[in-house]
Amino acid sequence: MTAPFRSLVKDYPRYLKSFELFLDRSSEHQCMQDFIHNTLPDILGSIGGGRSIFNVMGVGSGTGEIDLEMLAQLHMKHPQVKVNNEVVEPSTDMLHKYKVLASKTPNLDYINFSWNKMTASEFEKHWQERKLGKKMDFIHLIQMLYYVKDPETTVSFFRSLLDEDGKLLIIQVSGEGGWAKLIRTYRAALCNPEISQCVTMGDIKTFLDTKDIQYSNYVLQSHMDITECFTEGDEVGELLLDFLTEVVEFSKNAPEDLKKGVLDLLRHPDCSKEVDGRIMFNSSMEVVVVEP
């Protein structure tokens, strides 16, 4: 990364502010909700082999809202089953919020939570050192493979934990959307491999295909209103630009040619479309459900 740039993930308060703004300005959350309620139940219906206890794992679970949504769907599909749920999350703040949410959510008596304040790689080392042999029925990696050193090794490890009818669910930005075009064009300028791999689902699917690993693929069409990004000095626009580029105060710190190039790309029809005078960025995601 160019010297003046500071990764957004290193400035947690600003990251959180920009992330919340992204959620407010995008249809990502709704797309994920639709997938969880309409598609995921059939996937979850095929796991578990009739066992009375399921082992579930969320890696990079954040504050837990999505995890609990998925666990609720699992419970509806298998109402008699008890769940051992491994939560892996490196952020103290997010893990605390997840615990608070779980404590306030009714009817979770069927779940036994195990809290792991660890990165994915720390958890992998912890698992291997303890020689934990138990197999998992369902593992999910949602929007977290950007922040591991080696996404392919991470996917391989967690897939190796699956039971014979288990499923590994991965959600990542689409290899065909605006995010992918931004990454492909400006990877050298924006991506710090020590922090973020700038990996898309296109990269993950290429790896799975190379290894002849079976998976199902779903596209979640999503968009994000980035109109204010094109108004110089607009606070909302600057936060959204930070989130898009993962750079703290990108608008202020980027060289003019890089800033112009990024803004031109974001507005290009390959990345965005204009709807009622608003610039809507293609922030589509993809889901893959990986077989053991």
Side-chain angles (χ1 to χ4, degrees):
M1 185 175 283
T2 309
F5 288 172
R6 184 162 165 248
S7 174
L8 186 62
V9 297
K10 292 293 188 180
D11 185 338
Y12 181 69
R14 190 169 179 88
Y15 169 80
L16 190 60
K17 196 173 180 182
S18 65
F19 177 64
E20 289 173 348
L21 184 60
F22 160 71
L23 289 180
D24 183 56
R25 287 302 191 91
S26 81
S27 57
E28 173 173 305
H29 189 72
Q30 187 58 53
C31 288
M32 291 179 69
Q33 292 285 334
D34 291 345
F35 175 82
I36 289 168
H37 289 99
N38 299 325
T39 305
L40 185 62
D42 286 343
I43 296 166
L44 295 176
S46 67
I47 69 173
R51 291 181 290 279
S52 60
I53 299 175
F54 284 4
N55 293 320
V56 174
M57 183 183 295
V59 187
S61 290
T63 52
E65 288 91 346
I66 296 296
D67 286 41
L68 294 186
E69 290 268 6
M70 292 191 290
L71 287 164
Q73 295 299 320
L74 179 66
H75 187 52
M76 283 192 278
K77 209 69 182 175
H78 304 275
Q80 306 305 318
V81 167
K82 300 289 186 182
V83 174
N84 291 323
N85 185 40
E86 295 275 357
V87 179
V88 182
E89 170 55 52
S91 166
T92 301
D93 180 60
M94 289 189 177
L95 200 62
H96 172 71
K97 288 177 178 176
Y98 190 160
K99 290 178 180 179
V100 170
L101 179 64
S103 71
K104 292 180 177 178
T105 302
N107 304 319
L108 296 184
D109 296 347
Y110 65 97
I111 305 174
N112 174 45
F113 288 95
S114 296
W115 307 101
N116 302 276
K117 184 190 171 300
M118 302 177 188
T119 64
S121 57
E122 287 168 346
F123 182 79
E124 179 177 348
K125 184 179 178 183
H126 161 79
W127 189 275
Q128 290 170 337
E129 285 176 349
R130 290 178 58 193
K131 295 183 171 57
L132 298 174
K134 70 177 179 180
K135 291 294 186 178
M136 309 305 295
D137 296 291
F138 181 56
I139 302 173
H140 53 85
L141 315 176
I142 298 178
Q143 300 279 42
M144 56 72 64
L145 287 173
Y146 319 106
Y147 307 115
V148 298
K149 291 280 187 185
D150 187 337
E152 295 177 0
T153 297
T154 299
V155 169
S156 295
F157 168 69
F158 286 107
R159 177 173 174 259
S160 75
L161 304 186
L162 292 177
D163 210 328
E164 59 184 2
D165 57 0
K167 297 287 186 285
L168 170 63
L169 181 144
I170 303 170
I171 300 181
Q172 203 80 358
V173 297
S174 170
E176 304 300 323
W179 294 106
K181 292 178 174 65
L182 181 64
I183 289 168
R184 282 197 296 267
T185 307
Y186 291 106
R187 183 185 297 269
L190 298 177
C191 290
N192 180 350
E194 290 299 309
I195 297 168
S196 175
Q197 305 311 310
C198 293
V199 61
T200 73
M201 191 61 89
D203 302 310
I204 300 303
K205 289 193 294 185
T206 297
F207 162 69
L208 295 173
D209 291 339
T210 300
K211 297 294 184 182
D212 201 26
I213 295 170
Q214 298 299 305
Y215 62 90
S216 304
N217 187 208
Y218 309 86
V219 177
L220 308 185
Q221 300 287 352
S222 176
H223 59 266
M224 171 185 176
D225 186 344
I226 62 170
T227 308
E228 283 80 5
C229 290
F230 305 96
T231 302
E232 188 78 32
D234 187 280
E235 183 182 1
V236 167
E238 292 194 353
L239 281 167
L240 289 173
L241 271 175
D242 285 10
F243 190 78
L244 286 161
T245 61
E246 288 197 342
V247 170
V248 173
E249 297 190 328
F250 173 80
S251 184
K252 294 177 183 175
N253 292 320
E256 278 304 315
D257 59 336
L258 176 60
K259 181 179 171 182
K260 181 181 184 304
V262 167
L263 287 171
D264 286 349
L265 181 66
L266 290 176
R267 197 157 195 161
H268 193 277
D270 285 347
C271 290
S272 299
K273 61 182 179 180
E274 188 169 331
V275 180
D276 299 327
R278 308 296 292 180
I279 309 300
M280 308 304 290
F281 177 71
N282 179 354
S283 59
S284 293
M285 300 166 292
E286 287 185 72
V287 181
V288 297
V289 180
V290 182
E291 302 295 327

